[in-house]
């Protein structure tokens, strides 16, 4: 049977059918039928041949051949492998959102204050405190006080040009603070320039410096 | 069972203000001093006194390596000053008005700086609804430069009457101290008269960020 032009099946020439069935010598066929015979035999050979291995077949074969220990190790080892194994992550982004996020990031970089030029900007209830001390030969000077819970290592002064004048700024809550300098990590010194002092109350006559931080946005201007 | 456990934990937290308030901050306090300091802070809580000055004093003494007995004494002294401050503020406040916690802490700080209770009470009574710290510090600044306490308080009361408020009162003290240091050997009385004449237009600080009282020279 052969397909005719309309898609229906058409009867094959009996001589050609006999040749295909090895009941007739193909050389006895007319020339046009010999061509048809040759084409049909070629097609039959291709169809009967073992199909080539597809890509999918090869991938599946390799997966089947993979070592089985991935599934047989203890759960922590499997978890560790899962955590450290590179995973492909696909992100589906809308261009409009991507551009919006980029714009927001740029705005944050431009608008948020940096710390290159000193301390961060004070809020309404804060002010900037400036500390200066003359400690020639000191290796380190830090400020420890009520504003940092008397903790060491929070506010270090600087002496960039090694002239013994140590200085630093800090944004602090407005109001009264007590503090001392700690020189070289062990010597407690009341700020000689503070101008205000208070006994520290521990009975050895030591005094704390008193600092009053004024609000940076103070509205208490002179009244005419 | 769960309700019982919650109630027990609540009671423990309420009876342990040191732990409830700032466990991380006070973890540094030496074990030898901690029970006593805990008790002092519990007393402050029971008497509705501010506890932050006591916590700060405990942290300060710990940072300075003060021996435990003196550390406890320092915190106890702070508690006594808070009590005295609360009494002063209560006297200065109009009848029926509650005592603000911030006033008590500010007055205790002024007492620690050496202001006498009479002057403190007078300054608080002038403006009971305003934070008293600037006027108290301004007065203490003037006294540190040799001004009489009553004269200093008079100047601050007059400045307040002429409209100066808040940190601007500190500028009054600064101006008086500057006048005192001017060439020509001015007396305290001269300096006070000069500043009184310029009220309320005392000079403001160039950069109103911190206020360090001028050093005597």
């Amino acid at each position: 049977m052969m397909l005719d032009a309309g898609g229906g099946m058409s009867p094959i020439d009996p001589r050609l059918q006999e040749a295909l069935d090895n009941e007739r010598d193909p050389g006895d066929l007319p020339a046009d039928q010999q061509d048809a015979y040759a084409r049909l035999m070629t097609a039959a050979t291709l169809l009967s041949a073992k199909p080539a291995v597809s890509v999918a077949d090869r991938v599946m074969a390799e997966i089947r051949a993979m070592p089985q220990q991935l599934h047989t190790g203890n759960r922590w080892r499997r978890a560790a492998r899962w955590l450290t194994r590179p995973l492909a992550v696909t992100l589906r982004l809308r261009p409009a959102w991507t551009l919006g996020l980029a714009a927001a990031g740029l705005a944050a970089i431009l608008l948020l204050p940096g710390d290159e030029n000193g301390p961060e900007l004070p809020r309404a209830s804060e002010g900037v405190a400036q500390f200066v001390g003359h400690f020639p030969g000191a290796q380190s000077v830090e400020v420890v006080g009520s504003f940092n819970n008397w903790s060491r290592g929070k506010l270090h002064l600087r002496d960039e040009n090694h002239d013994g004048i140590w200085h630093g700024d800090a944004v602090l809550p407005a109001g009264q603070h007590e503090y001392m300098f700690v020189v070289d990590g062990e010597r407690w010194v009341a700020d000689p320039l503070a101008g205000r002092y208070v006994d520290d109350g521990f009975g050895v006559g030591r005094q704390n410096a008193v600092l009053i931080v004024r609000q940076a946005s103070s509205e208490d201007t002179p009244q005419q | 069972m769960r309700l019982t456990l919650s109630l027990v934990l609540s009671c423990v937290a309420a009876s342990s203000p040191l732990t409830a308030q700032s466990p991380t901050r006070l973890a540094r306090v030496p074990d030898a001093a901690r029970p006593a300091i805990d008790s002092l802070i519990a007393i402050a809580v029971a008497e509705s006194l501010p506890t932050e000055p006591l916590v700060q004093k405990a942290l300060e003494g710990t940072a300075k390596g003060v021996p435990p007995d003196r550390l406890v004494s320092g915190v106890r002294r702070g508690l006594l000053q808070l009590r005295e401050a609360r009494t002063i503020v209560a006297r200065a406040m109009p009848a029926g008005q509650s005592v603000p916690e911030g006033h008590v802490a500010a007055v205790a700080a002024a007492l620690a700086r050496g202001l006498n209770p009479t002057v403190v009470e007078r300054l608080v009574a002038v403006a009971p609804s305003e934070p008293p710290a600037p006027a108290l510090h301004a007065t203490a600044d003037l006294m540190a430069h040799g001004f009489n306490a009553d004269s200093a308080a008079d100047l601050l009361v007059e400045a307040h009457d002429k409209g100066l408020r808040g940190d601007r009162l500190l500028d009054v003290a600064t101006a008086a101290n500057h006048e005192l240091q001017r060439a020509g050997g001015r007396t305290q009385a001269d300096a006070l008269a000069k500043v009184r004449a310029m009220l309320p237009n005392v000079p403001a600080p160039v950069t109103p960020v911190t206020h360090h009282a001028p050093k005597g020279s």
Side-chain angles (χ1 to χ4, degrees):
Chain A
M1 303 291 280
M2 294 183 69
L3 291 175
D4 62 14
M9 302 295 286
S10 62
I12 193 169
D13 186 288
R15 289 171 297 178
L16 180 56
Q17 183 64 59
E18 288 171 4
L20 291 171
D21 293 339
N22 291 325
E23 294 171 356
R24 173 190 289 271
D25 184 359
D28 296 341
L29 295 172
D32 61 331
Q33 290 194 359
Q34 284 188 14
D35 290 342
Y37 172 83
R39 286 199 298 271
L40 287 169
M41 287 306 290
T42 301
T45 303
L46 288 173
L47 288 172
S48 63
K50 188 177 180 181
V53 179
S54 69
V55 173
D57 290 336
R58 287 203 303 272
V59 170
M60 291 305 295
E62 288 192 16
I63 290 174
R64 288 189 196 99
M66 284 175 70
Q68 294 300 305
Q69 67 265 26
L70 276 176
H71 308 288
T72 57
N74 71 49
R75 73 175 60 166
W76 298 113
R77 191 171 296 173
R78 287 204 305 273
R81 283 201 191 94
W82 183 83
L83 287 171
T84 55
R85 190 171 56 200
L87 297 172
V89 177
T90 303
L91 288 176
R92 296 170 65 86
L93 296 174
R94 294 172 193 267
W97 291 14
T98 308
L99 290 172
L101 285 172
L106 183 62
I109 291 170
L110 292 175
L111 295 177
L112 290 178
D115 59 355
E116 305 96 299
N117 299 319
E120 57 188 302
L121 291 175
R123 289 175 291 191
S125 60
E126 295 173 329
V128 178
Q130 299 165 327
F131 299 96
V132 180
H134 187 218
F135 300 105
Q139 299 301 305
S140 71
V141 179
E142 63 177 305
V143 189
V144 180
S146 53
F147 42 79
N148 56 19
N149 288 322
W150 297 91
S151 297
R152 302 279 293 274
K154 298 280 182 67
L155 177 52
H156 288 278
L157 302 188
R158 304 179 304 276
D159 178 17
E160 290 96 345
N161 53 10
H162 307 290
D163 60 358
I165 298 175
W166 295 75
H167 64 95
D169 300 334
V171 173
L172 301 177
Q176 176 191 333
H177 304 280
E178 295 181 25
Y179 68 99
M180 290 190 83
F181 292 141
V182 180
V183 181
D184 292 336
E186 58 184 20
R187 190 158 57 96
W188 290 73
V189 181
D191 181 353
L193 301 175
R196 296 187 180 96
Y197 303 93
V198 62
D199 189 284
D200 73 0
F202 294 118
V204 289
R206 190 151 56 178
Q207 290 190 314
N208 294 331
V210 176
L211 168 70
I212 297 174
V213 176
R214 301 176 70 149
Q215 290 183 8
S217 58
S218 179
E219 296 178 354
D220 47 2
T221 50
Q223 298 180 8
Q224 303 296 325
Chain B
M1 179 65 183
R2 188 171 292 174
L3 178 63
T4 307
L5 183 62
S6 299
L7 287 172
V8 169
L9 288 175
S10 300
C11 292
V12 169
S15 64
S16 178
L18 194 65
T19 306
Q21 282 186 24
S22 46
T24 306
R25 287 195 299 166
L26 288 167
R28 289 184 273 146
V29 174
D31 291 343
R34 190 154 175 170
I37 290 174
D38 200 4
S39 298
L40 292 169
I41 293 177
I43 291 170
V45 170
E47 296 181 11
S48 299
L49 292 169
T51 56
E52 183 62 19
L54 305 182
V55 172
Q56 288 295 334
K57 190 54 66 182
L59 295 174
E60 176 191 342
T62 302
K64 290 177 175 176
V66 173
D69 58 333
R70 294 217 316 265
L71 177 55
V72 173
S73 296
V75 176
R76 184 179 295 116
R77 179 179 163 184
L79 175 64
L80 297 177
Q81 278 177 336
L82 288 168
R83 278 181 178 157
E84 184 179 5
R86 206 250 313 270
T87 303
I88 292 171
V89 176
R91 280 202 304 260
M93 298 298 284
Q97 200 162 325
S98 61
V99 175
E101 201 171 86
H103 282 38
V104 175
V107 167
L111 295 173
R113 281 197 71 188
L115 282 185
N116 74 63
T118 308
V119 168
V120 171
E121 184 178 337
R122 179 185 173 203
L123 289 168
V124 174
V126 166
S129 61
E130 296 172 20
L136 296 172
H137 279 299
T139 305
D141 289 350
L142 289 167
M143 289 171 59
H145 285 80
F147 289 93
N148 171 275
D150 289 324
S151 301
D154 287 343
L155 180 65
L156 270 301
V157 170
E158 187 171 341
H160 182 271
D161 290 344
K162 292 191 174 176
L164 289 180
R165 297 288 185 275
D167 289 343
R168 282 288 287 154
L169 294 171
L170 295 167
D171 297 332
V172 175
T174 303
N177 292 332
H178 282 165
E179 289 299 325
L180 186 63
Q181 293 162 21
R182 281 187 192 279
R186 284 205 165 111
T187 64
Q188 273 86 1
D190 292 337
L192 290 176
K194 185 77 174 173
V195 173
R196 194 168 274 120
M198 68 173 77
L199 287 175
N201 298 312
V202 290
V206 177
T207 52
V209 288
T210 61
H211 183 82
H212 282 171
K215 293 277 290 175
S217 59

